[in-house]
Structures are given as C-alpha cells and as structure tokens.
Amino acid sequence: MDQTFSKFQPYALSLLRFITGLVLLQYGIAKIFKFPVVPYFANIPPLITVAGTIELVGGALLLLGLFTRPVAFILSGQMACAYFIGHMFKGADPVFLPLLNGGTLAIALCFTCLYIATAGGGPISVDAAMKK
C-alpha cells in the first residue's frame, strides 16, 4: 500500500500547502477587508489587525508556494500565539482545552504550518519552479 501511494506524496504536500494557504487567506480577507461580513471581525483591535495582515500575506504566499518554508514557520508561530493569546486566555481564567476555548483550528494550523516549514512546498509551487 505504501508503494502504491508513495508516488503521490509530493503532490499531496502541495495540496496540503495550497489548502492551508487558502484557509489562512480566507481569515486574513475577513479580518482586513471585512468580506464576508462576520460580526466577530466587525471592530477588531490592533493586534488582530496585525494577525489578519500576517494571515493575508502569508496565506497568499503559501497559496502560491513562494518563500514557503520561512512563511510557514512565521505562520506556525502566529497560530501558536493565536491559541495562547486569543483562545486560551480570552476569559478571566485560562481554559487550556481547545474544545472548550475554540482554539482547535489554531492548533491544527500551527502544526500544519510547522510541518510545511520542515517539508517544503512540494513540486507544484513557485519555489519548485524557481529551482528548475
């Protein structure tokens, strides 16, 4: 089974990078451009504006596969900060469990971006095209 699917592994990495970039880009667009209209992002504080800008730019770069490793590393750190600052400590008392504090996506994106930072963008990326 491993040999059968191993030839698709590099393309699966490119797909993972593309979808992760798309999700982050979506959040960046919602925070910065207010589209689509999400009441939660109506009046965001400056820290969330900075996070949205990082998600917008970083998500677009991941989508293209340009500067994949450093961008994914930065996004991984940003998602870790999003979990600890925005989810775990959003109330008076810290809530560590992601299911209870709404931080499940932040954790998943943190470790997905960390994996992409170590594995690279895959064969379908601007980085791969520039190497050729």
Side-chain angles (χ1 to χ4, degrees):
M1 190 71 134
D2 279 349
Q3 291 176 342
T4 305
F5 292 113
S6 65
K7 61 183 172 187
F8 298 112
Q9 188 175 0
Y11 300 104
L13 177 60
S14 290
L15 183 62
L16 177 68
R17 185 208 77 240
F18 183 83
I19 296 300
T20 303
L22 196 60
V23 169
L24 288 163
L25 181 65
Q26 164 189 286
Y27 274 91
I29 289 171
K31 290 174 185 172
I32 303 302
F33 298 119
K34 312 291 187 230
F35 178 79
V37 177
V38 179
Y40 185 74
F41 297 141
N43 296 316
I44 57 175
L47 183 62
I48 304 301
T49 304
V50 171
T53 305
I54 294 170
E55 290 165 359
L56 182 71
V57 174
L61 289 172
L62 270 189
L63 198 67
L64 296 171
L66 183 61
F67 308 119
T68 303
R69 289 176 189 258
V71 167
F73 185 74
I74 290 167
L75 286 167
S76 176
Q78 190 234 348
M79 288 294 107
C81 290
Y83 177 75
F84 287 109
I85 295 171
H87 293 280
M88 187 172 163
F89 292 107
K90 71 178 168 188
D93 294 323
V95 178
F96 184 73
L97 294 174
L99 190 60
L100 300 177
N101 67 23
T104 306
L105 181 61
I107 290 175
L109 286 172
C110 173
F111 285 98
T112 302
C113 287
L114 190 61
Y115 176 73
I116 293 169
T118 59
I124 304 171
S125 67
V126 174
D127 288 340
M130 289 180 1
K131 285 184 181 178
K132 291 182 180 179

